[in-house]
Amino acid sequence: MPDAPFDCAAARADVLARIARAARAAGREPADVTLVAVSKQQPWEPVAQVLAAGQTIFGENRVQEVQGRWTDHRDGVELRLIGPLQTNKAKDAVAFFDVIETLDRERLAKALADEIQAQGKALRLYVQVNTGEEPQKAGALPDAADAFIALCRATYGLEIEGLMCIPPADEPPGPHFALLAKIAARNGLSRLSMGMSGDFETAVRFGATSVRVGSALFGARAPGIRL
Ligand SMILES: *Cc1c(COP(=O)(O)O)cnc(C)c1O
């Protein structure tokens, strides 16, 4: 017998309830935690179900592929880029996204600053920090984060909204969330994008203001599906 179809609207209600419970348990307001639905590599149908359920904020990880599928659904939707950004795609990314969460190096800061000016666009930016110092992972190293944030602000005139991290898959995430919160606090930043399907409740406990949830909302991503 085939599996019953995954009910994305019910999954969203469940994730929202879990966020609210984790927030209250930490003495926080549920409304202070934003759910970002990570729709990368999902076919359109489940994304449409989550949209219909009232979700307005979505995360995607590739610039080019998302333009086609979101262009006709852009009204009232906030799109966040949560994947690595090459400088040669900065123009498209600035034009299409509302938030870029993966600012992590000077060349990209310069490219984004140039495009923000050229397009006259208000873009919200998060600096990604490689809290686990993993060589294969993007993000400013924790020791270099303060200087990088200062560079973005002073040299490139960029307003930074917050910090983002993706903890190593094989370590408890708590210490990484705590480190991100500490770096944010000493740089006067109050927004933290942290927590995914497996650890968003822990992230809320450590102060996440947005959680990026994919598979818990949409079911597992089919490995072969590339939009
Ligand atoms: C894919 C992805 C997510 C969502 O992961 P799930 O485990 O499916 O919730 C969150 N953040 C980033 C940066 C991702 O690439």
Side-chain angles (χ1 to χ4, degrees), residues 1-76:
M1 217 170 68
D3 291 340
F6 191 83
D7 183 343
C8 297
R12 176 174 179 270
D14 178 59
V15 168
L16 286 172
R18 287 168 60 191
I19 290 171
R21 223 177 297 136
R24 287 199 196 91
R28 304 183 57 205
E29 288 295 326
D32 293 341
V33 184
T34 298
L35 172 62
V36 178
V38 177
S39 45
K40 69 180 188 193
Q41 293 167 37
Q42 298 288 349
W44 180 251
E45 195 189 321
V47 179
Q49 283 175 26
V50 168
L51 255 179
Q55 181 68 29
T56 57
I57 304 177
F58 290 84
E60 291 277 1
N61 69 341
R62 285 159 196 249
V63 180
Q64 248 110 354
E65 292 104 306
V66 302
Q67 288 171 314
R69 73 185 197 149
W70 278 106
T71 298
D72 292 341
H73 306 275
R74 207 61 191 78
D75 280 356

Side-chain angles (χ1 to χ4, degrees), residues 96-137:
F96 206 69
F97 286 92
D98 302 288
V99 183
I100 291 177
E101 297 202 358
T102 51
L103 172 55
D104 65 349
R105 60 197 189 280
E106 181 166 7
R107 277 190 64 216
L108 184 57
K110 179 174 187 338
L112 290 175
D114 289 349
E115 281 305 327
I116 287 169
Q117 186 156 44
Q119 299 182 29
K121 173 139 182 205
L123 186 71
R124 293 157 53 202
L125 295 170
Y126 284 67
V127 167
Q128 181 176 354
V129 181
N130 186 354
T131 58
E133 307 190 28
E134 296 172 280
Q136 82 286 6
K137 206 164 263 176

Side-chain angles (χ1 to χ4, degrees), residues 38 40 61 82-83 164 166 195-198 212-216 221:
V38 177
K40 69 180 188 193
N61 69 341
I82 61 169
M164 179 270 221
I166 310 168
M196 319 200 320
S197 291
R212 309 176 307 268
V213 179
S215 42
R221 286 179 289 276

